[in-house]
Amino acid sequence: MKVHFIEGAPKAVGPYSHAVEHGNTLYVSGQLGLDPVTNALREGVIHQAEQALENLKAILENNGLTMSNVVKTLVLLDNIDDFKAVNEIYGQYFEQPYPARSAFEVGKLPLGALVEIEAIAYIK
């Protein structure tokens, strides 16, 4: 098992790694819409979704992977009414064949975030 802490990704807001590699799989921790420079949440669900996906992309790229290596994602929403807006942003980051995905409304997200996205990627 190999643990990854990535330059250019927001600092972890708890005791966890940005990603953990095990065999041919990279497990990427949930990414909030935190600006990696200021470590502050971007404003609004659309900007948070974009930033969360940019953070995910940066972690993948740091490991020599792209969004096309992602086989499964989990999208956590503060409000399920934001599903359509987040889905539109999400669709700009992935191409067919799309990864498997689950999406849920949750009670609260860390730091008062509106969206969190985690991923599992295959290492070829």
Side-chain angles (χ1 to χ4, degrees), residues 13 27-28 49 52-53 55 65 69 77 82 99-100 105 110 112 114 117 120 122-123:
V13 296
Y27 300 90
V28 182
L53 288 160
N55 295 341
L65 304 174
N69 291 93
L77 299 164
D82 292 329
E105 177 181 278
L114 303 174
I117 302 172
I120 300 171
Y122 177 72
I123 302 169

PDB file of all heavy atoms in Angstrom, residues 13 27-28 49 52-53 55 65 69 77 82 99-100 105 110 112 114 117 120 122-123:
ATOM      1  N   VAL A  13      -8.494  18.115   5.662  1.00  0.00           N
ATOM      2  CA  VAL A  13      -9.153  18.747   6.810  1.00  0.00           C
ATOM      3  C   VAL A  13      -9.321  17.757   7.962  1.00  0.00           C
ATOM      4  O   VAL A  13     -10.109  17.988   8.868  1.00  0.00           O
ATOM      5  CB  VAL A  13     -10.522  19.373   6.411  1.00  0.00           C
ATOM      6  CG1 VAL A  13     -10.323  20.499   5.422  1.00  0.00           C
ATOM      7  CG2 VAL A  13     -11.468  18.328   5.868  1.00  0.00           C
ATOM      8  N   TYR A  27      -7.442   4.935  -4.591  1.00  0.00           N
ATOM      9  CA  TYR A  27      -8.626   5.393  -3.870  1.00  0.00           C
ATOM     10  C   TYR A  27      -8.399   6.861  -3.499  1.00  0.00           C
ATOM     11  O   TYR A  27      -7.497   7.163  -2.715  1.00  0.00           O
ATOM     12  CB  TYR A  27      -8.839   4.559  -2.604  1.00  0.00           C
ATOM     13  CG  TYR A  27      -9.023   3.093  -2.892  1.00  0.00           C
ATOM     14  CD1 TYR A  27      -7.934   2.226  -2.943  1.00  0.00           C
ATOM     15  CD2 TYR A  27     -10.294   2.580  -3.135  1.00  0.00           C
ATOM     16  CE1 TYR A  27      -8.106   0.876  -3.219  1.00  0.00           C
ATOM     17  CE2 TYR A  27     -10.473   1.226  -3.405  1.00  0.00           C
ATOM     18  CZ  TYR A  27      -9.374   0.385  -3.454  1.00  0.00           C
ATOM     19  OH  TYR A  27      -9.536  -0.953  -3.734  1.00  0.00           O
ATOM     20  N   VAL A  28      -9.190   7.749  -4.081  1.00  0.00           N
ATOM     21  CA  VAL A  28      -9.025   9.180  -3.842  1.00  0.00           C
ATOM     22  C   VAL A  28     -10.051   9.637  -2.814  1.00  0.00           C
ATOM     23  O   VAL A  28     -11.257   9.429  -2.987  1.00  0.00           O
ATOM     24  CB  VAL A  28      -9.182   9.985  -5.149  1.00  0.00           C
ATOM     25  CG1 VAL A  28      -8.964  11.470  -4.887  1.00  0.00           C
ATOM     26  CG2 VAL A  28      -8.202   9.487  -6.213  1.00  0.00           C
ATOM     27  N   ALA A  49     -18.391  22.482  -7.016  1.00  0.00           N
ATOM     28  CA  ALA A  49     -18.314  21.248  -7.813  1.00  0.00           C
ATOM     29  C   ALA A  49     -17.142  21.319  -8.785  1.00  0.00           C
ATOM     30  O   ALA A  49     -16.383  20.345  -8.923  1.00  0.00           O
ATOM     31  CB  ALA A  49     -19.626  21.016  -8.563  1.00  0.00           C
ATOM     32  N   ALA A  52     -13.946  20.930  -6.707  1.00  0.00           N
ATOM     33  CA  ALA A  52     -13.792  19.556  -6.224  1.00  0.00           C
ATOM     34  C   ALA A  52     -13.276  18.658  -7.347  1.00  0.00           C
ATOM     35  O   ALA A  52     -12.377  17.833  -7.133  1.00  0.00           O
ATOM     36  CB  ALA A  52     -15.119  19.026  -5.683  1.00  0.00           C
ATOM     37  N   LEU A  53     -13.806  18.830  -8.551  1.00  0.00           N
ATOM     38  CA  LEU A  53     -13.367  18.022  -9.688  1.00  0.00           C
ATOM     39  C   LEU A  53     -11.963  18.408 -10.137  1.00  0.00           C
ATOM     40  O   LEU A  53     -11.179  17.540 -10.538  1.00  0.00           O
ATOM     41  CB  LEU A  53     -14.381  18.125 -10.826  1.00  0.00           C
ATOM     42  CG  LEU A  53     -15.678  17.369 -10.527  1.00  0.00           C
ATOM     43  CD1 LEU A  53     -16.822  17.865 -11.404  1.00  0.00           C
ATOM     44  CD2 LEU A  53     -15.475  15.871 -10.703  1.00  0.00           C
ATOM     45  N   ASN A  55      -9.660  19.476  -8.080  1.00  0.00           N
ATOM     46  CA  ASN A  55      -8.804  18.882  -7.047  1.00  0.00           C
ATOM     47  C   ASN A  55      -8.628  17.383  -7.305  1.00  0.00           C
ATOM     48  O   ASN A  55      -7.513  16.858  -7.193  1.00  0.00           O
ATOM     49  CB  ASN A  55      -9.398  19.122  -5.664  1.00  0.00           C
ATOM     50  CG  ASN A  55      -9.434  20.590  -5.296  1.00  0.00           C
ATOM     51  OD1 ASN A  55      -8.734  21.417  -5.870  1.00  0.00           O
ATOM     52  ND2 ASN A  55     -10.274  20.935  -4.329  1.00  0.00           N
ATOM     53  N   LEU A  65      -2.299   9.662 -13.818  1.00  0.00           N
ATOM     54  CA  LEU A  65      -3.597   9.200 -14.291  1.00  0.00           C
ATOM     55  C   LEU A  65      -4.417  10.374 -14.814  1.00  0.00           C
ATOM     56  O   LEU A  65      -4.067  11.536 -14.613  1.00  0.00           O
ATOM     57  CB  LEU A  65      -4.356   8.507 -13.155  1.00  0.00           C
ATOM     58  CG  LEU A  65      -3.645   7.336 -12.473  1.00  0.00           C
ATOM     59  CD1 LEU A  65      -4.458   6.846 -11.284  1.00  0.00           C
ATOM     60  CD2 LEU A  65      -3.403   6.208 -13.465  1.00  0.00           C
ATOM     61  N   ASN A  69      -9.270   7.254 -16.124  1.00  0.00           N
ATOM     62  CA  ASN A  69      -8.913   6.110 -15.285  1.00  0.00           C
ATOM     63  C   ASN A  69      -9.935   5.867 -14.173  1.00  0.00           C
ATOM     64  O   ASN A  69      -9.921   4.818 -13.527  1.00  0.00           O
ATOM     65  CB  ASN A  69      -7.548   6.313 -14.632  1.00  0.00           C
ATOM     66  CG  ASN A  69      -6.416   6.261 -15.614  1.00  0.00           C
ATOM     67  OD1 ASN A  69      -6.000   7.300 -16.122  1.00  0.00           O
ATOM     68  ND2 ASN A  69      -5.928   5.083 -15.913  1.00  0.00           N
ATOM     69  N   LEU A  77     -24.037  15.480  -1.648  1.00  0.00           N
ATOM     70  CA  LEU A  77     -24.624  16.810  -1.790  1.00  0.00           C
ATOM     71  C   LEU A  77     -25.261  17.263  -0.485  1.00  0.00           C
ATOM     72  O   LEU A  77     -25.926  16.476   0.189  1.00  0.00           O
ATOM     73  CB  LEU A  77     -25.700  16.800  -2.879  1.00  0.00           C
ATOM     74  CG  LEU A  77     -25.230  16.418  -4.280  1.00  0.00           C
ATOM     75  CD1 LEU A  77     -26.403  16.066  -5.168  1.00  0.00           C
ATOM     76  CD2 LEU A  77     -24.421  17.551  -4.873  1.00  0.00           C
ATOM     77  N   ASP A  82     -29.588  20.332  -5.773  1.00  0.00           N
ATOM     78  CA  ASP A  82     -28.419  20.767  -6.554  1.00  0.00           C
ATOM     79  C   ASP A  82     -27.930  19.684  -7.517  1.00  0.00           C
ATOM     80  O   ASP A  82     -26.964  19.897  -8.249  1.00  0.00           O
ATOM     81  CB  ASP A  82     -27.275  21.169  -5.619  1.00  0.00           C
ATOM     82  CG  ASP A  82     -27.580  22.429  -4.832  1.00  0.00           C
ATOM     83  OD1 ASP A  82     -28.312  23.291  -5.361  1.00  0.00           O
ATOM     84  OD2 ASP A  82     -27.080  22.537  -3.694  1.00  0.00           O
ATOM     85  N   PRO A  99     -17.763   6.693 -15.615  1.00  0.00           N
ATOM     86  CA  PRO A  99     -17.579   5.811 -14.458  1.00  0.00           C
ATOM     87  C   PRO A  99     -18.923   5.524 -13.778  1.00  0.00           C
ATOM     88  O   PRO A  99     -19.880   6.295 -13.936  1.00  0.00           O
ATOM     89  CB  PRO A  99     -16.678   6.629 -13.530  1.00  0.00           C
ATOM     90  CG  PRO A  99     -16.755   8.038 -13.992  1.00  0.00           C
ATOM     91  CD  PRO A  99     -17.180   8.022 -15.423  1.00  0.00           C
ATOM     92  N   ALA A 100     -18.977   4.443 -13.061  1.00  0.00           N
ATOM     93  CA  ALA A 100     -20.144   4.176 -12.219  1.00  0.00           C
ATOM     94  C   ALA A 100     -20.197   5.285 -11.175  1.00  0.00           C
ATOM     95  O   ALA A 100     -19.173   5.877 -10.831  1.00  0.00           O
ATOM     96  CB  ALA A 100     -20.008   2.810 -11.557  1.00  0.00           C
ATOM     97  N   GLU A 105     -27.890  12.946  -0.960  1.00  0.00           N
ATOM     98  CA  GLU A 105     -27.985  14.110  -0.088  1.00  0.00           C
ATOM     99  C   GLU A 105     -27.586  13.636   1.298  1.00  0.00           C
ATOM    100  O   GLU A 105     -28.010  12.571   1.743  1.00  0.00           O
ATOM    101  CB  GLU A 105     -29.411  14.662  -0.057  1.00  0.00           C
ATOM    102  CG  GLU A 105     -29.565  15.831   0.906  1.00  0.00           C
ATOM    103  CD  GLU A 105     -30.976  16.372   0.966  1.00  0.00           C
ATOM    104  OE1 GLU A 105     -31.342  17.165   0.092  1.00  0.00           O
ATOM    105  OE2 GLU A 105     -31.709  15.971   1.896  1.00  0.00           O
ATOM    106  N   PRO A 110     -18.220  18.404   5.650  1.00  0.00           N
ATOM    107  CA  PRO A 110     -17.181  19.137   6.374  1.00  0.00           C
ATOM    108  C   PRO A 110     -17.094  20.598   5.918  1.00  0.00           C
ATOM    109  O   PRO A 110     -17.266  20.904   4.739  1.00  0.00           O
ATOM    110  CB  PRO A 110     -15.894  18.388   6.017  1.00  0.00           C
ATOM    111  CG  PRO A 110     -16.351  17.004   5.683  1.00  0.00           C
ATOM    112  CD  PRO A 110     -17.695  17.184   5.034  1.00  0.00           C
ATOM    113  N   GLY A 112     -19.003  22.956   6.091  1.00  0.00           N
ATOM    114  CA  GLY A 112     -20.202  23.555   5.516  1.00  0.00           C
ATOM    115  C   GLY A 112     -20.233  23.497   4.000  1.00  0.00           C
ATOM    116  O   GLY A 112     -20.965  24.258   3.359  1.00  0.00           O
ATOM    117  N   LEU A 114     -20.950  22.326   0.122  1.00  0.00           N
ATOM    118  CA  LEU A 114     -22.197  21.996  -0.564  1.00  0.00           C
ATOM    119  C   LEU A 114     -22.089  20.715  -1.376  1.00  0.00           C
ATOM    120  O   LEU A 114     -23.105  20.112  -1.722  1.00  0.00           O
ATOM    121  CB  LEU A 114     -22.611  23.161  -1.474  1.00  0.00           C
ATOM    122  CG  LEU A 114     -22.785  24.503  -0.762  1.00  0.00           C
ATOM    123  CD1 LEU A 114     -23.038  25.611  -1.767  1.00  0.00           C
ATOM    124  CD2 LEU A 114     -23.895  24.413   0.270  1.00  0.00           C
ATOM    125  N   ILE A 117     -16.785  15.063  -3.609  1.00  0.00           N
ATOM    126  CA  ILE A 117     -16.693  14.019  -4.633  1.00  0.00           C
ATOM    127  C   ILE A 117     -15.458  13.167  -4.363  1.00  0.00           C
ATOM    128  O   ILE A 117     -14.349  13.687  -4.235  1.00  0.00           O
ATOM    129  CB  ILE A 117     -16.615  14.626  -6.050  1.00  0.00           C
ATOM    130  CG1 ILE A 117     -17.845  15.510  -6.311  1.00  0.00           C
ATOM    131  CG2 ILE A 117     -16.520  13.514  -7.108  1.00  0.00           C
ATOM    132  CD1 ILE A 117     -17.788  16.316  -7.588  1.00  0.00           C
ATOM    133  N   ILE A 120     -12.576   6.284  -7.289  1.00  0.00           N
ATOM    134  CA  ILE A 120     -11.711   5.110  -7.365  1.00  0.00           C
ATOM    135  C   ILE A 120     -11.235   5.025  -8.800  1.00  0.00           C
ATOM    136  O   ILE A 120     -12.042   5.087  -9.740  1.00  0.00           O
ATOM    137  CB  ILE A 120     -12.472   3.821  -6.970  1.00  0.00           C
ATOM    138  CG1 ILE A 120     -12.995   3.933  -5.546  1.00  0.00           C
ATOM    139  CG2 ILE A 120     -11.571   2.599  -7.144  1.00  0.00           C
ATOM    140  CD1 ILE A 120     -13.944   2.803  -5.152  1.00  0.00           C
ATOM    141  N   TYR A 122      -8.522   3.156 -11.756  1.00  0.00           N
ATOM    142  CA  TYR A 122      -7.764   1.964 -12.136  1.00  0.00           C
ATOM    143  C   TYR A 122      -6.404   2.397 -12.672  1.00  0.00           C
ATOM    144  O   TYR A 122      -6.326   3.292 -13.519  1.00  0.00           O
ATOM    145  CB  TYR A 122      -8.524   1.174 -13.188  1.00  0.00           C
ATOM    146  CG  TYR A 122      -7.781  -0.031 -13.690  1.00  0.00           C
ATOM    147  CD1 TYR A 122      -7.620  -1.148 -12.875  1.00  0.00           C
ATOM    148  CD2 TYR A 122      -7.222  -0.067 -14.963  1.00  0.00           C
ATOM    149  CE1 TYR A 122      -6.930  -2.264 -13.314  1.00  0.00           C
ATOM    150  CE2 TYR A 122      -6.538  -1.184 -15.421  1.00  0.00           C
ATOM    151  CZ  TYR A 122      -6.387  -2.280 -14.587  1.00  0.00           C
ATOM    152  OH  TYR A 122      -5.702  -3.372 -15.017  1.00  0.00           O
ATOM    153  N   ILE A 123      -5.352   1.778 -12.173  1.00  0.00           N
ATOM    154  CA  ILE A 123      -4.002   2.064 -12.637  1.00  0.00           C
ATOM    155  C   ILE A 123      -3.646   1.009 -13.676  1.00  0.00           C
ATOM    156  O   ILE A 123      -3.581  -0.176 -13.357  1.00  0.00           O
ATOM    157  CB  ILE A 123      -2.993   2.031 -11.470  1.00  0.00           C
ATOM    158  CG1 ILE A 123      -3.420   3.039 -10.402  1.00  0.00           C
ATOM    159  CG2 ILE A 123      -1.583   2.303 -11.968  1.00  0.00           C
ATOM    160  CD1 ILE A 123      -2.653   2.903  -9.102  1.00  0.00           C
TER     161      ILE A 123
END
